[in-house]
Amino acid sequence: MKSGLITSVHRDMKQKQRYHIELNDEYAFTVHEDILVKYNLFKGTEVDEAFYQEVLVAEEKHKAYLGALRYLGFRPRTSSQLHAYLLEKGFEPKIAEEICRRCEEQGYIDDKAFAKQWVDERMRLKPRSPYMLRMELQQRGVDRSIVEEAVSHVSKESELEAARSLIEKKARRLQGPPNPDEERKLLSMLMRKGFSHSIVQQIRGELRQREREQG
């Protein structure tokens, strides 16, 4: 049973923001300085079992929160990605959920903003079909309604430009206009990537028009 009087508080030599607490001259636990101050864990403070458990839970939540901020500092993440990361790091599901809510409330994660940014950047840097955009966002745990809202802003013209961009990239390797077999492969690639039938048909028309012009 961890209870008694705090008889010593030592700062960790390597992690300067962490402190080792002794109860009745015996090591009891280690906390971050934020928890140390919040719970007044200084020499002379009386600790009972209930207080000790409360401090441990607070320390665990604080550790999860700091870990979440580090994880989110690299690049934008979804709520689902953050939750999975915290579970992977060994935090309890309840703590992971609480930290996700806290990060949402503080604006550190925003699935709507994430989805919009994802679609905008993909269409600008790596053009792809709305179908592929949906798949990518769903794989990152974004709610279906948020996904649909973000993808709905992709215009038909943007989708067509994305298809043209992919075709151009592949067609550069060909000498002259694609022959029927090469054309089939190019159009099949578009279908596999989820482009709509109307877009594929339009690209087919453009390829054949180019062939006639260069023929």
Side-chain angles (χ1 to χ4, degrees), residues 35 38-39 54-68 86 91 94-96 98-99 102:
I35 301 300
K38 180 179 179 179
Y39 287 91
E54 184 182 341
V55 167
L56 288 193
V57 170
E59 168 63 20
E60 189 74 354
K61 288 179 181 178
H62 192 267
K63 194 184 295 182
Y65 179 66
L66 293 181
L86 292 173
F91 294 103
K94 280 179 67 175
I95 289 179
E98 183 177 327
I99 299 304
R102 183 175 172 185

Side-chain angles (χ1 to χ4, degrees), residues 183 187 198-213:
E183 180 190 286
L187 297 175
S198 63
I199 292 290
V200 174
Q201 290 303 310
Q202 186 159 344
I203 294 294
R204 174 186 276 132
E206 291 179 5
L207 288 172
R208 291 182 179 178
Q209 178 66 27
R210 188 187 306 177
E211 186 180 354
R212 284 193 294 271
E213 290 171 355

Side-chain angles (χ1 to χ4, degrees), residues 110-211:
D110 182 337
D111 283 3
K112 280 190 177 182
F114 178 95
K116 183 181 183 306
Q117 183 181 346
W118 184 272
V119 169
D120 290 347
E121 289 190 358
R122 276 291 197 249
M123 295 307 289
R124 184 165 52 86
L125 303 173
K126 295 181 178 179
R128 58 204 56 215
S129 68
Y131 171 81
M132 290 296 287
L133 292 169
R134 285 188 185 91
M135 292 293 290
E136 290 174 345
L137 288 170
Q138 286 170 10
Q139 285 166 2
R140 284 155 183 78
V142 180
D143 185 79
R144 188 179 295 274
S145 63
I146 295 175
V147 171
E148 289 306 320
E149 183 184 344
V151 174
S152 71
H153 295 293
V154 177
S155 67
K156 207 72 176 172
E157 188 57 38
S158 295
E159 186 183 357
L160 183 58
E161 283 303 318
R164 283 176 181 146
S165 176
L166 286 168
I167 288 292
E168 287 301 322
K169 207 173 287 182
K170 297 286 184 183
R172 282 192 209 114
R173 301 173 191 167
L174 305 176
Q175 292 184 343
N179 62 41
D181 188 48
E182 289 166 342
E183 180 190 286
R184 255 194 316 274
K185 287 178 180 176
L186 289 171
L187 297 175
S188 293
M189 179 264 295
L190 290 182
M191 287 188 280
R192 284 196 307 276
K193 290 186 176 294
F195 286 94
S196 66
H197 179 71
S198 63
I199 292 290
V200 174
Q201 290 303 310
Q202 186 159 344
I203 294 294
R204 174 186 276 132
E206 291 179 5
L207 288 172
R208 291 182 179 178
Q209 178 66 27
R210 188 187 306 177
E211 186 180 354

Side-chain angles (χ1 to χ4, degrees), residues 17-114:
Q17 291 182 312
R18 300 193 63 74
Y19 290 81
H20 306 293
I21 312 294
E22 289 186 6
L23 293 178
N24 302 329
D25 295 319
E26 288 186 1
Y27 170 77
F29 53 90
T30 300
V31 294
H32 189 277
E33 65 181 356
D34 291 347
I35 301 300
L36 181 88
V37 173
K38 180 179 179 179
Y39 287 91
N40 195 35
L41 299 172
F42 301 109
K43 189 174 180 180
T45 297
E46 190 73 39
V47 175
D48 61 20
E49 182 68 19
F51 182 61
Y52 168 74
Q53 291 299 331
E54 184 182 341
V55 167
L56 288 193
V57 170
E59 168 63 20
E60 189 74 354
K61 288 179 181 178
H62 192 267
K63 194 184 295 182
Y65 179 66
L66 293 181
L69 294 186
R70 280 194 299 273
Y71 179 66
L72 297 173
F74 293 112
R75 62 175 181 271
R77 311 277 187 174
T78 66
S79 178
S80 179
Q81 286 176 316
L82 176 58
H83 189 267
Y85 171 79
L86 292 173
L87 292 181
E88 186 185 307
K89 290 298 178 183
F91 294 103
E92 292 292 322
K94 280 179 67 175
I95 289 179
E97 287 162 16
E98 183 177 327
I99 299 304
C100 283
R101 280 196 303 274
R102 183 175 172 185
C103 287
E104 283 176 3
E105 288 165 2
Q106 295 176 335
Y108 292 124
I109 49 176
D110 182 337
D111 283 3
K112 280 190 177 182
F114 178 95

